[in-house]
PDB file of all heavy atoms in Angstrom:
ATOM      1  N   CYS T 258     103.202 169.495 194.365  1.00  0.00           N
ATOM      2  CA  CYS T 258     103.538 168.235 193.678  1.00  0.00           C
ATOM      3  C   CYS T 258     105.018 167.894 193.928  1.00  0.00           C
ATOM      4  O   CYS T 258     105.906 168.696 193.615  1.00  0.00           O
ATOM      5  CB  CYS T 258     103.274 168.411 192.184  1.00  0.00           C
ATOM      6  SG  CYS T 258     103.889 167.056 191.177  1.00  0.00           S
ATOM      7  N   PRO T 259     105.341 166.706 194.509  1.00  0.00           N
ATOM      8  CA  PRO T 259     106.736 166.387 194.830  1.00  0.00           C
ATOM      9  C   PRO T 259     107.691 166.498 193.629  1.00  0.00           C
ATOM     10  O   PRO T 259     108.754 167.122 193.757  1.00  0.00           O
ATOM     11  CB  PRO T 259     106.676 164.977 195.400  1.00  0.00           C
ATOM     12  CG  PRO T 259     105.280 164.837 195.903  1.00  0.00           C
ATOM     13  CD  PRO T 259     104.428 165.674 195.006  1.00  0.00           C
ATOM     14  N   PRO T 260     107.370 165.924 192.459  1.00  0.00           N
ATOM     15  CA  PRO T 260     108.309 166.104 191.339  1.00  0.00           C
ATOM     16  C   PRO T 260     108.509 167.585 190.990  1.00  0.00           C
ATOM     17  O   PRO T 260     109.633 168.011 190.717  1.00  0.00           O
ATOM     18  CB  PRO T 260     107.655 165.344 190.182  1.00  0.00           C
ATOM     19  CG  PRO T 260     106.768 164.351 190.832  1.00  0.00           C
ATOM     20  CD  PRO T 260     106.288 165.002 192.094  1.00  0.00           C
ATOM     21  N   CYS T 267     106.073 168.321 186.253  1.00  0.00           N
ATOM     22  CA  CYS T 267     105.002 167.317 186.336  1.00  0.00           C
ATOM     23  C   CYS T 267     103.637 167.989 186.170  1.00  0.00           C
ATOM     24  O   CYS T 267     102.839 167.599 185.336  1.00  0.00           O
ATOM     25  CB  CYS T 267     105.086 166.586 187.669  1.00  0.00           C
ATOM     26  SG  CYS T 267     103.861 165.295 187.820  1.00  0.00           S
ATOM     27  N   ILE T 268     103.365 169.004 186.969  1.00  0.00           N
ATOM     28  CA  ILE T 268     102.125 169.767 186.766  1.00  0.00           C
ATOM     29  C   ILE T 268     102.517 171.150 186.251  1.00  0.00           C
ATOM     30  O   ILE T 268     103.232 171.903 186.929  1.00  0.00           O
ATOM     31  CB  ILE T 268     101.328 169.930 188.081  1.00  0.00           C
ATOM     32  CG1 ILE T 268     101.032 168.561 188.709  1.00  0.00           C
ATOM     33  CG2 ILE T 268     100.037 170.701 187.819  1.00  0.00           C
ATOM     34  CD1 ILE T 268     100.118 168.599 189.922  1.00  0.00           C
ATOM     35  N   ILE T 290      98.953 167.618 183.401  1.00  0.00           N
ATOM     36  CA  ILE T 290      99.762 166.750 184.266  1.00  0.00           C
ATOM     37  C   ILE T 290     100.487 165.721 183.410  1.00  0.00           C
ATOM     38  O   ILE T 290      99.871 165.053 182.566  1.00  0.00           O
ATOM     39  CB  ILE T 290      98.875 166.034 185.309  1.00  0.00           C
ATOM     40  CG1 ILE T 290      98.155 167.084 186.170  1.00  0.00           C
ATOM     41  CG2 ILE T 290      99.698 165.091 186.182  1.00  0.00           C
ATOM     42  CD1 ILE T 290      97.209 166.507 187.202  1.00  0.00           C
ATOM     43  N   CYS T 295     104.404 161.817 186.806  1.00  0.00           N
ATOM     44  CA  CYS T 295     103.560 161.661 188.005  1.00  0.00           C
ATOM     45  C   CYS T 295     103.873 160.353 188.732  1.00  0.00           C
ATOM     46  O   CYS T 295     104.109 159.314 188.117  1.00  0.00           O
ATOM     47  CB  CYS T 295     102.097 161.695 187.579  1.00  0.00           C
ATOM     48  SG  CYS T 295     100.964 161.247 188.886  1.00  0.00           S
ATOM     49  N   LEU T 296     103.862 160.412 190.072  1.00  0.00           N
ATOM     50  CA  LEU T 296     104.209 159.241 190.892  1.00  0.00           C
ATOM     51  C   LEU T 296     103.032 158.286 191.076  1.00  0.00           C
ATOM     52  O   LEU T 296     103.191 157.230 191.671  1.00  0.00           O
ATOM     53  CB  LEU T 296     104.701 159.701 192.269  1.00  0.00           C
ATOM     54  CG  LEU T 296     105.873 160.692 192.253  1.00  0.00           C
ATOM     55  CD1 LEU T 296     106.144 161.218 193.645  1.00  0.00           C
ATOM     56  CD2 LEU T 296     107.132 160.012 191.692  1.00  0.00           C
ATOM     57  N   GLY T 297     101.854 158.695 190.648  1.00  0.00           N
ATOM     58  CA  GLY T 297     100.709 157.792 190.699  1.00  0.00           C
ATOM     59  C   GLY T 297      99.832 158.000 191.930  1.00  0.00           C
ATOM     60  O   GLY T 297     100.066 158.871 192.762  1.00  0.00           O
ATOM     61  N   CYS T 300     100.767 158.754 195.618  1.00  0.00           N
ATOM     62  CA  CYS T 300     101.112 160.125 196.012  1.00  0.00           C
ATOM     63  C   CYS T 300      99.795 160.899 196.224  1.00  0.00           C
ATOM     64  O   CYS T 300      99.412 161.168 197.358  1.00  0.00           O
ATOM     65  CB  CYS T 300     101.976 160.794 194.939  1.00  0.00           C
ATOM     66  SG  CYS T 300     102.064 162.579 195.126  1.00  0.00           S
ATOM     67  N   GLY T 301      99.120 161.219 195.151  1.00  0.00           N
ATOM     68  CA  GLY T 301      97.788 161.824 195.256  1.00  0.00           C
ATOM     69  C   GLY T 301      97.724 163.175 195.956  1.00  0.00           C
ATOM     70  O   GLY T 301      96.636 163.628 196.329  1.00  0.00           O
ATOM     71  N   ILE T 302      98.868 163.835 196.107  1.00  0.00           N
ATOM     72  CA  ILE T 302      98.868 165.106 196.836  1.00  0.00           C
ATOM     73  C   ILE T 302      98.026 166.163 196.111  1.00  0.00           C
ATOM     74  O   ILE T 302      97.243 166.902 196.717  1.00  0.00           O
ATOM     75  CB  ILE T 302     100.326 165.591 197.061  1.00  0.00           C
ATOM     76  CG1 ILE T 302     100.969 164.669 198.090  1.00  0.00           C
ATOM     77  CG2 ILE T 302     100.384 167.054 197.505  1.00  0.00           C
ATOM     78  CD1 ILE T 302     102.436 164.928 198.351  1.00  0.00           C
ATOM     79  N   CYS T 303      98.137 166.209 194.795  1.00  0.00           N
ATOM     80  CA  CYS T 303      97.375 167.218 194.042  1.00  0.00           C
ATOM     81  C   CYS T 303      95.872 166.983 194.199  1.00  0.00           C
ATOM     82  O   CYS T 303      95.093 167.944 194.256  1.00  0.00           O
ATOM     83  CB  CYS T 303      97.761 167.179 192.564  1.00  0.00           C
ATOM     84  SG  CYS T 303      97.597 165.552 191.822  1.00  0.00           S
ATOM     85  N   ILE T 314      93.891 161.020 190.005  1.00  0.00           N
ATOM     86  CA  ILE T 314      95.067 160.236 189.603  1.00  0.00           C
ATOM     87  C   ILE T 314      94.675 158.788 189.893  1.00  0.00           C
ATOM     88  O   ILE T 314      94.334 158.449 191.027  1.00  0.00           O
ATOM     89  CB  ILE T 314      96.312 160.606 190.450  1.00  0.00           C
ATOM     90  CG1 ILE T 314      96.585 162.115 190.400  1.00  0.00           C
ATOM     91  CG2 ILE T 314      97.531 159.784 190.018  1.00  0.00           C
ATOM     92  CD1 ILE T 314      97.169 162.643 189.104  1.00  0.00           C
TER      93      ILE T 314
HETATM   94 FE1  SF4 L1012     102.327 165.387 191.312  1.00  0.00          FE
HETATM   95 FE2  SF4 L1012     101.321 163.014 190.520  1.00  0.00          FE
HETATM   96 FE3  SF4 L1012     101.647 163.547 193.143  1.00  0.00          FE
HETATM   97 FE4  SF4 L1012      99.730 164.799 191.721  1.00  0.00          FE
HETATM   98  S1  SF4 L1012      99.850 162.608 192.150  1.00  0.00           S
HETATM   99  S2  SF4 L1012     101.114 165.726 193.187  1.00  0.00           S
HETATM  100  S3  SF4 L1012     100.755 165.030 189.738  1.00  0.00           S
HETATM  101  S4  SF4 L1012     103.233 163.368 191.587  1.00  0.00           S
END
Side-chain angles (χ1 to χ4, degrees):
C258 170
C267 183
I268 304 187
I290 301 178
C295 170
L296 305 172
C300 164
I302 289 175
C303 54
I314 306 286

